[in-house]
PDB file of all heavy atoms in Angstrom:
ATOM      1  N   ILE A 471     -88.659 134.151  45.080  1.00 95.00           N
ATOM      2  CA  ILE A 471     -88.554 133.214  46.202  1.00 95.00           C
ATOM      3  C   ILE A 471     -87.186 133.391  46.845  1.00 95.00           C
ATOM      4  O   ILE A 471     -86.158 133.386  46.154  1.00 95.00           O
ATOM      5  CB  ILE A 471     -88.734 131.762  45.712  1.00 95.00           C
ATOM      6  CG1 ILE A 471     -90.144 131.600  45.121  1.00 95.00           C
ATOM      7  CG2 ILE A 471     -88.508 130.769  46.839  1.00 95.00           C
ATOM      8  CD1 ILE A 471     -90.319 130.342  44.326  1.00 95.00           C
ATOM      9  N   GLU A 472     -87.176 133.574  48.164  1.00 94.00           N
ATOM     10  CA  GLU A 472     -85.925 133.836  48.873  1.00 94.00           C
ATOM     11  C   GLU A 472     -85.761 132.858  50.032  1.00 94.00           C
ATOM     12  O   GLU A 472     -86.606 132.756  50.910  1.00 94.00           O
ATOM     13  CB  GLU A 472     -85.914 135.271  49.410  1.00 94.00           C
ATOM     14  CG  GLU A 472     -85.995 136.344  48.324  1.00 94.00           C
ATOM     15  CD  GLU A 472     -86.083 137.742  48.897  1.00 94.00           C
ATOM     16  OE1 GLU A 472     -87.035 138.011  49.668  1.00 94.00           O
ATOM     17  OE2 GLU A 472     -85.193 138.552  48.579  1.00 94.00           O
ATOM     18  N   HIS A 473     -84.674 132.113  49.996  1.00 95.00           N
ATOM     19  CA  HIS A 473     -84.249 131.243  51.103  1.00 95.00           C
ATOM     20  C   HIS A 473     -85.373 130.314  51.577  1.00 95.00           C
ATOM     21  O   HIS A 473     -85.571 130.110  52.785  1.00 95.00           O
ATOM     22  CB  HIS A 473     -83.726 132.086  52.270  1.00 95.00           C
ATOM     23  CG  HIS A 473     -82.683 133.089  51.866  1.00 95.00           C
ATOM     24  ND1 HIS A 473     -81.454 132.713  51.363  1.00 95.00           N
ATOM     25  CD2 HIS A 473     -82.710 134.459  51.835  1.00 95.00           C
ATOM     26  CE1 HIS A 473     -80.747 133.804  51.072  1.00 95.00           C
ATOM     27  NE2 HIS A 473     -81.489 134.871  51.330  1.00 95.00           N
ATOM     28  N   LEU A 474     -86.094 129.747  50.626  1.00 95.00           N
ATOM     29  CA  LEU A 474     -87.221 128.877  50.956  1.00 95.00           C
ATOM     30  C   LEU A 474     -86.719 127.544  51.516  1.00 95.00           C
ATOM     31  O   LEU A 474     -85.801 126.930  50.970  1.00 95.00           O
ATOM     32  CB  LEU A 474     -88.047 128.617  49.695  1.00 95.00           C
ATOM     33  CG  LEU A 474     -89.325 127.799  49.866  1.00 95.00           C
ATOM     34  CD1 LEU A 474     -90.348 128.592  50.663  1.00 95.00           C
ATOM     35  CD2 LEU A 474     -89.899 127.417  48.498  1.00 95.00           C
ATOM     36  N   SER A 475     -87.335 127.107  52.599  1.00 95.00           N
ATOM     37  CA  SER A 475     -86.994 125.806  53.188  1.00 95.00           C
ATOM     38  C   SER A 475     -88.268 125.089  53.613  1.00 95.00           C
ATOM     39  O   SER A 475     -89.295 125.711  53.876  1.00 95.00           O
ATOM     40  CB  SER A 475     -86.058 125.975  54.398  1.00 95.00           C
ATOM     41  OG  SER A 475     -86.711 126.692  55.441  1.00 95.00           O
ATOM     42  N   LYS A 476     -88.179 123.771  53.654  1.00 95.00           N
ATOM     43  CA  LYS A 476     -89.332 122.968  54.072  1.00 95.00           C
ATOM     44  C   LYS A 476     -88.843 121.698  54.745  1.00 95.00           C
ATOM     45  O   LYS A 476     -88.003 120.975  54.210  1.00 95.00           O
ATOM     46  CB  LYS A 476     -90.212 122.614  52.864  1.00 95.00           C
ATOM     47  CG  LYS A 476     -91.385 121.694  53.202  1.00 95.00           C
ATOM     48  CD  LYS A 476     -92.343 122.320  54.212  1.00 95.00           C
ATOM     49  CE  LYS A 476     -93.490 121.376  54.551  1.00 95.00           C
ATOM     50  NZ  LYS A 476     -94.380 121.943  55.608  1.00 95.00           N
ATOM     51  N   LYS A 477     -89.381 121.448  55.945  1.00 94.00           N
ATOM     52  CA  LYS A 477     -89.091 120.225  56.688  1.00 94.00           C
ATOM     53  C   LYS A 477     -90.386 119.479  56.964  1.00 94.00           C
ATOM     54  O   LYS A 477     -91.436 120.090  57.184  1.00 94.00           O
ATOM     55  CB  LYS A 477     -88.420 120.549  58.027  1.00 94.00           C
ATOM     56  CG  LYS A 477     -87.049 121.191  57.928  1.00 94.00           C
ATOM     57  CD  LYS A 477     -86.486 121.460  59.328  1.00 94.00           C
ATOM     58  CE  LYS A 477     -85.123 122.130  59.272  1.00 94.00           C
ATOM     59  NZ  LYS A 477     -84.615 122.418  60.640  1.00 94.00           N
ATOM     60  N   PHE A 478     -90.318 118.162  56.943  1.00 93.00           N
ATOM     61  CA  PHE A 478     -91.393 117.306  57.435  1.00 93.00           C
ATOM     62  C   PHE A 478     -90.815 116.548  58.619  1.00 93.00           C
ATOM     63  O   PHE A 478     -90.116 115.543  58.448  1.00 93.00           O
ATOM     64  CB  PHE A 478     -91.869 116.335  56.354  1.00 93.00           C
ATOM     65  CG  PHE A 478     -92.560 117.006  55.192  1.00 93.00           C
ATOM     66  CD1 PHE A 478     -91.882 117.262  54.013  1.00 93.00           C
ATOM     67  CD2 PHE A 478     -93.892 117.398  55.290  1.00 93.00           C
ATOM     68  CE1 PHE A 478     -92.523 117.876  52.941  1.00 93.00           C
ATOM     69  CE2 PHE A 478     -94.538 118.011  54.228  1.00 93.00           C
ATOM     70  CZ  PHE A 478     -93.842 118.254  53.053  1.00 93.00           C
ATOM     71  N   GLY A 479     -91.056 117.060  59.831  1.00 91.00           N
ATOM     72  CA  GLY A 479     -90.404 116.481  61.002  1.00 91.00           C
ATOM     73  C   GLY A 479     -88.912 116.739  60.928  1.00 91.00           C
ATOM     74  O   GLY A 479     -88.461 117.876  60.769  1.00 91.00           O
ATOM     75  N   ASP A 480     -88.118 115.666  61.000  1.00 90.00           N
ATOM     76  CA  ASP A 480     -86.663 115.792  60.906  1.00 90.00           C
ATOM     77  C   ASP A 480     -86.167 115.733  59.462  1.00 90.00           C
ATOM     78  O   ASP A 480     -84.978 115.928  59.210  1.00 90.00           O
ATOM     79  CB  ASP A 480     -85.982 114.677  61.717  1.00 90.00           C
ATOM     80  CG  ASP A 480     -86.238 114.806  63.217  1.00 90.00           C
ATOM     81  OD1 ASP A 480     -86.424 115.958  63.678  1.00 90.00           O
ATOM     82  OD2 ASP A 480     -86.263 113.770  63.913  1.00 90.00           O
ATOM     83  N   LEU A 481     -87.076 115.444  58.536  1.00 92.00           N
ATOM     84  CA  LEU A 481     -86.681 115.316  57.131  1.00 92.00           C
ATOM     85  C   LEU A 481     -86.649 116.686  56.460  1.00 92.00           C
ATOM     86  O   LEU A 481     -87.672 117.370  56.365  1.00 92.00           O
ATOM     87  CB  LEU A 481     -87.658 114.396  56.389  1.00 92.00           C
ATOM     88  CG  LEU A 481     -87.399 114.206  54.888  1.00 92.00           C
ATOM     89  CD1 LEU A 481     -86.049 113.536  54.662  1.00 92.00           C
ATOM     90  CD2 LEU A 481     -88.528 113.409  54.250  1.00 92.00           C
ATOM     91  N   VAL A 482     -85.479 117.096  56.006  1.00 92.00           N
ATOM     92  CA  VAL A 482     -85.318 118.372  55.305  1.00 92.00           C
ATOM     93  C   VAL A 482     -85.515 118.118  53.812  1.00 92.00           C
ATOM     94  O   VAL A 482     -84.735 117.399  53.185  1.00 92.00           O
ATOM     95  CB  VAL A 482     -83.931 118.983  55.564  1.00 92.00           C
ATOM     96  CG1 VAL A 482     -83.789 120.307  54.809  1.00 92.00           C
ATOM     97  CG2 VAL A 482     -83.707 119.195  57.046  1.00 92.00           C
ATOM     98  N   VAL A 483     -86.565 118.703  53.239  1.00 94.00           N
ATOM     99  CA  VAL A 483     -86.895 118.462  51.829  1.00 94.00           C
ATOM    100  C   VAL A 483     -86.392 119.591  50.941  1.00 94.00           C
ATOM    101  O   VAL A 483     -85.894 119.358  49.839  1.00 94.00           O
ATOM    102  CB  VAL A 483     -88.418 118.280  51.655  1.00 94.00           C
ATOM    103  CG1 VAL A 483     -88.767 118.019  50.196  1.00 94.00           C
ATOM    104  CG2 VAL A 483     -88.913 117.124  52.525  1.00 94.00           C
ATOM    105  N   LEU A 484     -86.524 120.828  51.402  1.00 95.00           N
ATOM    106  CA  LEU A 484     -86.026 121.985  50.650  1.00 95.00           C
ATOM    107  C   LEU A 484     -85.011 122.740  51.497  1.00 95.00           C
ATOM    108  O   LEU A 484     -85.236 122.962  52.693  1.00 95.00           O
ATOM    109  CB  LEU A 484     -87.169 122.930  50.273  1.00 95.00           C
ATOM    110  CG  LEU A 484     -88.233 122.392  49.307  1.00 95.00           C
ATOM    111  CD1 LEU A 484     -89.314 123.439  49.082  1.00 95.00           C
ATOM    112  CD2 LEU A 484     -87.616 121.981  47.973  1.00 95.00           C
ATOM    113  N   LYS A 485     -83.906 123.157  50.862  1.00 92.00           N
ATOM    114  CA  LYS A 485     -82.832 123.836  51.577  1.00 92.00           C
ATOM    115  C   LYS A 485     -82.484 125.144  50.866  1.00 92.00           C
ATOM    116  O   LYS A 485     -81.914 125.110  49.776  1.00 92.00           O
ATOM    117  CB  LYS A 485     -81.577 122.962  51.632  1.00 92.00           C
ATOM    118  CG  LYS A 485     -81.792 121.543  52.135  1.00 92.00           C
ATOM    119  CD  LYS A 485     -80.533 120.712  51.933  1.00 92.00           C
ATOM    120  CE  LYS A 485     -80.751 119.259  52.276  1.00 92.00           C
ATOM    121  NZ  LYS A 485     -79.556 118.443  51.971  1.00 92.00           N
ATOM    122  N   ASP A 486     -82.864 126.263  51.438  1.00 92.00           N
ATOM    123  CA  ASP A 486     -82.389 127.563  50.977  1.00 92.00           C
ATOM    124  C   ASP A 486     -82.559 127.769  49.473  1.00 92.00           C
ATOM    125  O   ASP A 486     -81.600 128.053  48.745  1.00 92.00           O
ATOM    126  CB  ASP A 486     -80.910 127.732  51.363  1.00 92.00           C
ATOM    127  CG  ASP A 486     -80.474 129.195  51.279  1.00 92.00           C
ATOM    128  OD1 ASP A 486     -81.354 130.079  51.342  1.00 92.00           O
ATOM    129  OD2 ASP A 486     -79.267 129.442  51.122  1.00 92.00           O
ATOM    130  N   VAL A 487     -83.788 127.624  48.985  1.00 95.00           N
ATOM    131  CA  VAL A 487     -84.072 127.804  47.557  1.00 95.00           C
ATOM    132  C   VAL A 487     -84.359 129.278  47.277  1.00 95.00           C
ATOM    133  O   VAL A 487     -85.255 129.871  47.876  1.00 95.00           O
ATOM    134  CB  VAL A 487     -85.285 126.953  47.119  1.00 95.00           C
ATOM    135  CG1 VAL A 487     -85.628 127.228  45.656  1.00 95.00           C
ATOM    136  CG2 VAL A 487     -84.987 125.472  47.320  1.00 95.00           C
ATOM    137  N   THR A 488     -83.600 129.861  46.371  1.00 95.00           N
ATOM    138  CA  THR A 488     -83.788 131.258  45.973  1.00 95.00           C
ATOM    139  C   THR A 488     -83.855 131.330  44.456  1.00 95.00           C
ATOM    140  O   THR A 488     -82.961 130.834  43.773  1.00 95.00           O
ATOM    141  CB  THR A 488     -82.635 132.135  46.492  1.00 95.00           C
ATOM    142  OG1 THR A 488     -82.637 132.115  47.932  1.00 95.00           O
ATOM    143  CG2 THR A 488     -82.779 133.566  46.010  1.00 95.00           C
ATOM    144  N   ILE A 489     -84.920 131.933  43.931  1.00 95.00           N
ATOM    145  CA  ILE A 489     -85.105 132.003  42.476  1.00 95.00           C
ATOM    146  C   ILE A 489     -86.113 133.094  42.142  1.00 95.00           C
ATOM    147  O   ILE A 489     -86.998 133.396  42.949  1.00 95.00           O
ATOM    148  CB  ILE A 489     -85.583 130.630  41.911  1.00 95.00           C
ATOM    149  CG1 ILE A 489     -85.565 130.623  40.384  1.00 95.00           C
ATOM    150  CG2 ILE A 489     -86.967 130.279  42.431  1.00 95.00           C
ATOM    151  CD1 ILE A 489     -84.219 130.554  39.768  1.00 95.00           C
ATOM    152  N   GLU A 490     -85.979 133.702  40.981  1.00 95.00           N
ATOM    153  CA  GLU A 490     -86.966 134.652  40.476  1.00 95.00           C
ATOM    154  C   GLU A 490     -87.504 134.147  39.144  1.00 95.00           C
ATOM    155  O   GLU A 490     -86.760 133.597  38.330  1.00 95.00           O
ATOM    156  CB  GLU A 490     -86.346 136.045  40.283  1.00 95.00           C
ATOM    157  CG  GLU A 490     -86.000 136.740  41.584  1.00 95.00           C
ATOM    158  CD  GLU A 490     -85.543 138.174  41.371  1.00 95.00           C
ATOM    159  OE1 GLU A 490     -85.768 138.699  40.256  1.00 95.00           O
ATOM    160  OE2 GLU A 490     -84.971 138.758  42.302  1.00 95.00           O
ATOM    161  N   ILE A 491     -88.813 134.302  38.935  1.00 94.00           N
ATOM    162  CA  ILE A 491     -89.456 133.918  37.675  1.00 94.00           C
ATOM    163  C   ILE A 491     -90.159 135.150  37.128  1.00 94.00           C
ATOM    164  O   ILE A 491     -91.006 135.741  37.794  1.00 94.00           O
ATOM    165  CB  ILE A 491     -90.462 132.771  37.887  1.00 94.00           C
ATOM    166  CG1 ILE A 491     -89.748 131.545  38.468  1.00 94.00           C
ATOM    167  CG2 ILE A 491     -91.153 132.411  36.570  1.00 94.00           C
ATOM    168  CD1 ILE A 491     -90.681 130.396  38.836  1.00 94.00           C
ATOM    169  N   LYS A 492     -89.801 135.547  35.922  1.00 93.00           N
ATOM    170  CA  LYS A 492     -90.372 136.749  35.319  1.00 93.00           C
ATOM    171  C   LYS A 492     -91.697 136.433  34.628  1.00 93.00           C
ATOM    172  O   LYS A 492     -91.968 135.281  34.270  1.00 93.00           O
ATOM    173  CB  LYS A 492     -89.381 137.333  34.308  1.00 93.00           C
ATOM    174  CG  LYS A 492     -88.068 137.775  34.919  1.00 93.00           C
ATOM    175  CD  LYS A 492     -87.108 138.266  33.849  1.00 93.00           C
ATOM    176  CE  LYS A 492     -85.764 138.659  34.454  1.00 93.00           C
ATOM    177  NZ  LYS A 492     -84.797 139.095  33.410  1.00 93.00           N
ATOM    178  N   ALA A 493     -92.500 137.458  34.429  1.00 92.00           N
ATOM    179  CA  ALA A 493     -93.766 137.300  33.712  1.00 92.00           C
ATOM    180  C   ALA A 493     -93.495 136.772  32.308  1.00 92.00           C
ATOM    181  O   ALA A 493     -92.609 137.254  31.610  1.00 92.00           O
ATOM    182  CB  ALA A 493     -94.501 138.633  33.639  1.00 92.00           C
ATOM    183  N   GLY A 494     -94.251 135.754  31.914  1.00 92.00           N
ATOM    184  CA  GLY A 494     -94.112 135.176  30.584  1.00 92.00           C
ATOM    185  C   GLY A 494     -93.039 134.107  30.477  1.00 92.00           C
ATOM    186  O   GLY A 494     -92.898 133.470  29.429  1.00 92.00           O
ATOM    187  N   GLU A 495     -92.284 133.877  31.549  1.00 94.00           N
ATOM    188  CA  GLU A 495     -91.245 132.842  31.508  1.00 94.00           C
ATOM    189  C   GLU A 495     -91.845 131.451  31.683  1.00 94.00           C
ATOM    190  O   GLU A 495     -92.834 131.273  32.403  1.00 94.00           O
ATOM    191  CB  GLU A 495     -90.215 133.065  32.625  1.00 94.00           C
ATOM    192  CG  GLU A 495     -89.019 133.875  32.213  1.00 94.00           C
ATOM    193  CD  GLU A 495     -87.858 133.711  33.190  1.00 94.00           C
ATOM    194  OE1 GLU A 495     -88.063 133.900  34.399  1.00 94.00           O
ATOM    195  OE2 GLU A 495     -86.754 133.410  32.732  1.00 94.00           O
ATOM    196  N   VAL A 496     -91.217 130.482  31.037  1.00 94.00           N
ATOM    197  CA  VAL A 496     -91.557 129.080  31.242  1.00 94.00           C
ATOM    198  C   VAL A 496     -90.330 128.412  31.862  1.00 94.00           C
ATOM    199  O   VAL A 496     -89.261 128.355  31.245  1.00 94.00           O
ATOM    200  CB  VAL A 496     -91.932 128.383  29.926  1.00 94.00           C
ATOM    201  CG1 VAL A 496     -92.255 126.911  30.181  1.00 94.00           C
ATOM    202  CG2 VAL A 496     -93.117 129.078  29.273  1.00 94.00           C
ATOM    203  N   ILE A 497     -90.498 127.936  33.088  1.00 95.00           N
ATOM    204  CA  ILE A 497     -89.413 127.313  33.836  1.00 95.00           C
ATOM    205  C   ILE A 497     -89.689 125.817  33.951  1.00 95.00           C
ATOM    206  O   ILE A 497     -90.746 125.416  34.444  1.00 95.00           O
ATOM    207  CB  ILE A 497     -89.291 127.916  35.252  1.00 95.00           C
ATOM    208  CG1 ILE A 497     -89.150 129.429  35.193  1.00 95.00           C
ATOM    209  CG2 ILE A 497     -88.138 127.274  36.012  1.00 95.00           C
ATOM    210  CD1 ILE A 497     -87.886 129.919  34.552  1.00 95.00           C
ATOM    211  N   SER A 498     -88.760 125.003  33.484  1.00 95.00           N
ATOM    212  CA  SER A 498     -88.870 123.559  33.696  1.00 95.00           C
ATOM    213  C   SER A 498     -87.964 123.161  34.848  1.00 95.00           C
ATOM    214  O   SER A 498     -86.823 123.636  34.949  1.00 95.00           O
ATOM    215  CB  SER A 498     -88.476 122.786  32.435  1.00 95.00           C
ATOM    216  OG  SER A 498     -89.478 122.889  31.455  1.00 95.00           O
ATOM    217  N   ILE A 499     -88.488 122.306  35.722  1.00 96.00           N
ATOM    218  CA  ILE A 499     -87.749 121.856  36.905  1.00 96.00           C
ATOM    219  C   ILE A 499     -87.516 120.360  36.750  1.00 96.00           C
ATOM    220  O   ILE A 499     -88.459 119.570  36.687  1.00 96.00           O
ATOM    221  CB  ILE A 499     -88.536 122.154  38.193  1.00 96.00           C
ATOM    222  CG1 ILE A 499     -88.882 123.645  38.255  1.00 96.00           C
ATOM    223  CG2 ILE A 499     -87.744 121.740  39.416  1.00 96.00           C
ATOM    224  CD1 ILE A 499     -89.976 123.986  39.241  1.00 96.00           C
ATOM    225  N   ILE A 500     -86.249 119.982  36.639  1.00 95.00           N
ATOM    226  CA  ILE A 500     -85.893 118.589  36.432  1.00 95.00           C
ATOM    227  C   ILE A 500     -85.019 118.114  37.578  1.00 95.00           C
ATOM    228  O   ILE A 500     -84.516 118.913  38.365  1.00 95.00           O
ATOM    229  CB  ILE A 500     -85.179 118.383  35.078  1.00 95.00           C
ATOM    230  CG1 ILE A 500     -83.838 119.151  35.059  1.00 95.00           C
ATOM    231  CG2 ILE A 500     -86.067 118.848  33.922  1.00 95.00           C
ATOM    232  CD1 ILE A 500     -82.985 118.870  33.832  1.00 95.00           C
ATOM    233  N   GLY A 501     -84.824 116.816  37.659  1.00 92.00           N
ATOM    234  CA  GLY A 501     -83.956 116.249  38.685  1.00 92.00           C
ATOM    235  C   GLY A 501     -84.442 114.876  39.092  1.00 92.00           C
ATOM    236  O   GLY A 501     -85.543 114.451  38.726  1.00 92.00           O
ATOM    237  N   PRO A 502     -83.639 114.146  39.878  1.00 89.00           N
ATOM    238  CA  PRO A 502     -84.022 112.803  40.322  1.00 89.00           C
ATOM    239  C   PRO A 502     -85.278 112.834  41.186  1.00 89.00           C
ATOM    240  O   PRO A 502     -85.646 113.868  41.751  1.00 89.00           O
ATOM    241  CB  PRO A 502     -82.809 112.342  41.145  1.00 89.00           C
ATOM    242  CG  PRO A 502     -81.687 113.242  40.738  1.00 89.00           C
ATOM    243  CD  PRO A 502     -82.311 114.546  40.367  1.00 89.00           C
ATOM    244  N   SER A 503     -85.928 111.695  41.295  1.00 87.00           N
ATOM    245  CA  SER A 503     -87.099 111.580  42.172  1.00 87.00           C
ATOM    246  C   SER A 503     -86.677 111.784  43.624  1.00 87.00           C
ATOM    247  O   SER A 503     -85.573 111.407  44.028  1.00 87.00           O
ATOM    248  CB  SER A 503     -87.742 110.198  42.012  1.00 87.00           C
ATOM    249  OG  SER A 503     -88.194 110.021  40.685  1.00 87.00           O
ATOM    250  N   GLY A 504     -87.567 112.409  44.392  1.00 87.00           N
ATOM    251  CA  GLY A 504     -87.314 112.572  45.817  1.00 87.00           C
ATOM    252  C   GLY A 504     -86.382 113.713  46.175  1.00 87.00           C
ATOM    253  O   GLY A 504     -85.840 113.752  47.282  1.00 87.00           O
ATOM    254  N   THR A 505     -86.195 114.671  45.253  1.00 90.00           N
ATOM    255  CA  THR A 505     -85.275 115.778  45.531  1.00 90.00           C
ATOM    256  C   THR A 505     -86.006 117.086  45.832  1.00 90.00           C
ATOM    257  O   THR A 505     -85.384 118.136  45.855  1.00 90.00           O
ATOM    258  CB  THR A 505     -84.309 115.991  44.349  1.00 90.00           C
ATOM    259  OG1 THR A 505     -85.074 116.188  43.152  1.00 90.00           O
ATOM    260  CG2 THR A 505     -83.395 114.812  44.169  1.00 90.00           C
ATOM    261  N   GLY A 506     -87.337 117.037  46.030  1.00 92.00           N
ATOM    262  CA  GLY A 506     -88.069 118.214  46.476  1.00 92.00           C
ATOM    263  C   GLY A 506     -88.748 119.025  45.391  1.00 92.00           C
ATOM    264  O   GLY A 506     -89.289 120.099  45.670  1.00 92.00           O
ATOM    265  N   LYS A 507     -88.790 118.517  44.157  1.00 94.00           N
ATOM    266  CA  LYS A 507     -89.364 119.305  43.050  1.00 94.00           C
ATOM    267  C   LYS A 507     -90.854 119.569  43.269  1.00 94.00           C
ATOM    268  O   LYS A 507     -91.317 120.713  43.161  1.00 94.00           O
ATOM    269  CB  LYS A 507     -89.158 118.563  41.718  1.00 94.00           C
ATOM    270  CG  LYS A 507     -87.709 118.256  41.392  1.00 94.00           C
ATOM    271  CD  LYS A 507     -87.547 117.632  40.030  1.00 94.00           C
ATOM    272  CE  LYS A 507     -88.309 116.324  39.842  1.00 94.00           C
ATOM    273  NZ  LYS A 507     -87.828 115.267  40.760  1.00 94.00           N
ATOM    274  N   SER A 508     -91.621 118.517  43.562  1.00 93.00           N
ATOM    275  CA  SER A 508     -93.063 118.697  43.767  1.00 93.00           C
ATOM    276  C   SER A 508     -93.344 119.498  45.028  1.00 93.00           C
ATOM    277  O   SER A 508     -94.257 120.337  45.056  1.00 93.00           O
ATOM    278  CB  SER A 508     -93.759 117.331  43.843  1.00 93.00           C
ATOM    279  OG  SER A 508     -93.687 116.663  42.593  1.00 93.00           O
TER     280      SER A 508
END
């Protein structure tokens, strides 16, 4: 994933997300509610 962004109208939910996930990896995504995880 390279420089991923997502807006809903004027609301910026994702900002420049860059990450690689290898085959067989288990990635847990944590953080406060409302920070764009889902």
Side-chain angles (χ1 to χ4, degrees):
I471 297 166
E472 298 176 302
H473 309 296
L474 184 68
S475 64
K476 176 61 181 176
K477 295 180 181 178
F478 293 99
D480 294 331
L481 178 63
V482 179
V483 180
L484 295 178
K485 309 171 186 175
D486 197 22
V487 176
T488 297
I489 189 73
E490 290 187 15
I491 301 175
K492 298 177 182 178
E495 267 197 308
V496 179
I497 306 294
S498 286
I499 305 163
I500 64 173
S503 298
T505 55
K507 302 185 301 297
S508 294

